[in-house]
Amino acid sequence: MYTLMRKGMKSSKGNAHDLLAGKADIISTVEFNATGELLATGDKGGRVVVFQREQESKNQPHRRGEYNVYSTFQSHEPEFDYLKSLEIEEKINKIRWLPQQNAAYFLLSTNDKTVKLWKISERDKRPEGYNLKDEDGRIRDPTTITALRVPVLRPMDLMVEATARRIFANGHTYHINSISVNSDYETYMSTDDLRINLWNLEITNRSFNIVDIKPANMEDLTEVITAAEFHPSHCNTFVYSSSKGSVRLCDMRASALCDNHCKFFEEPEDPNNRSFFSEIISSISDVKFSHNGRYLMTRDYLTVKVWDLNMENKPLETYQVHDYLRSKLCSLYENDCIFDKFECVWNGSDSVIMTGSYNNFFRMFDRNTKRDVTLEASRENSKPRAILKPRKVCVGGKRRKDEISVDSLDFSKKILHTAWHPSENIIAVAATNNLYIFQDKVN
């Protein structure tokens, strides 16, 4: 049972008020940090909004803390590549948190070309009693200084500052689609359509190319890289997925350039289901390791698959996300929806998986009970503390009262980005410009 915890409405000022959405306000990525205390969203306008979970109140200890806006900052600006006459969008493609080492928080954010490392820190004290300058900051005449003062720290209103600590630029010719922090916490990789680069978090002026699938002649190009991720505990292992529906697992100990994969995960296509759209819908839009590192989850257009790392020939589990759209592929191709890139996430115990669909629906699959549920993130039926009702899609025949027919689905409303709290049943769902945070029902 999921109830709405807090609905954050992104506005052009980055606050949490209801405002008409512009294109810049469309959320493009959602990510919890390692403790789940912070939740970051990036949008098409290049902004990052960080929400912080409030502490539980003593009066109502059973009510868990809600998420409120903690910090808002402009991460990327629109740029223009004069050599190629190309506009570089400010849209945030991915955000990844680094593990917390001290009082400050660090996150990586990327647009199509540039990755930035941001530090988010708090300040609630200010120094007073300077010797060489006045309180308003002006430099004093040294000849007027007759006594030395000891500066003191005075309390002030809490300020949250975001500062760009590193800028990792000029590493990619093509658009960056994913970034992943390594478990050694010293390196991370950034991935574009044809190459994967390995960076040291301390070094901005050079990266190491670990995968390059660019052919000598671009006319021979048959596939592109769609996503990549490091193994959660083995710092030498990573996977990347392709537009041909395959996943390659590579080991950086084998060679400097990981042209040869160690394992290859691909499900052969059923010849009976072959159609004009087969190749498009088999393209993998997201790949995620389970928290325990044993399984891989991949999302293609119609399904979510769970793979055992020790079994390459077929997936362990296959879940149909919206199989009722098979008959609609032609119109989905015409309106470009067939190219939508849906993400998928695990819950903290790897027992439930979640992914998005159309009509602001999102799906959850319980791997143990094999039950699945369709829920809707919409402003009409989401009042705070209201229980989400399961939704059903009617494929044909008689439509029941609480069902919705396939023909009346709204394909402009889509859940592409979701996130799951690392240890609790709290989920964040991005529906266009609205962020919904749901939690498991609290008694």
Side-chain angles (χ1 to χ4, degrees), residues 114-132:
T114 307
V115 184
K116 293 185 181 181
L117 174 66
W118 289 91
K119 177 185 179 182
I120 301 166
S121 53
E122 294 182 355
R123 213 158 49 122
D124 60 357
K125 290 184 175 66
R126 68 168 184 269
E128 281 185 6
Y130 291 105
N131 286 293
L132 297 177

Side-chain angles (χ1 to χ4, degrees), residues 90-105:
E90 65 272 38
K91 174 192 163 199
I92 308 293
N93 293 340
K94 281 285 183 292
I95 288 172
R96 289 289 178 265
W97 290 93
L98 270 63
Q100 194 174 355
Q101 309 283 358
N102 50 36
Y105 302 97

Side-chain angles (χ1 to χ4, degrees), residues 374-440:
T374 303
L375 300 170
E376 182 181 5
S378 72
R379 294 169 60 192
E380 288 74 36
N381 63 7
S382 293
K383 294 189 177 82
R385 312 291 164 191
I387 294 173
L388 280 184
K389 293 189 177 76
R391 301 300 306 265
K392 279 199 169 60
V393 177
C394 166
V395 180
K398 250 187 170 179
R399 184 166 69 88
R400 289 182 190 162
K401 184 184 169 188
D402 56 344
E403 290 183 337
I404 181 168
S405 86
V406 178
D407 296 318
S408 56
L409 292 173
D410 187 343
F411 292 107
S412 66
K413 293 178 178 176
K414 53 193 93 168
I415 305 287
L416 300 176
H417 314 287
T418 56
W420 204 308
H421 189 288
S423 56
E424 296 179 37
N425 277 339
I426 297 173
I427 55 174
V429 176
T432 323
N433 67 311
N434 298 334
L435 176 69
Y436 296 89
I437 301 176
F438 301 101
Q439 68 176 345
D440 209 351

Side-chain angles (χ1 to χ4, degrees), residues 30-44:
V30 187
E31 188 80 7
F32 279 104
N33 74 339
T35 61
E37 291 304 303
L38 297 181
L39 171 69
T41 65
D43 63 24
K44 287 195 171 180

Side-chain angles (χ1 to χ4, degrees), residues 14-28:
N15 56 20
H17 296 295
D18 185 0
L19 216 79
L20 287 173
K23 192 186 170 198
D25 296 320
I26 295 171
I27 298 171
S28 53

Side-chain angles (χ1 to χ4, degrees), residues 136-163:
D136 57 5
R138 284 183 300 182
I139 301 293
R140 292 170 66 188
D141 180 359
T143 57
T144 63
I145 301 172
T146 56
L148 286 177
R149 293 183 291 178
V150 178
V152 291
L153 290 172
R154 301 253 185 249
M156 59 178 270
D157 291 339
L158 180 69
M159 268 181 63
V160 180
E161 295 176 318
T163 49

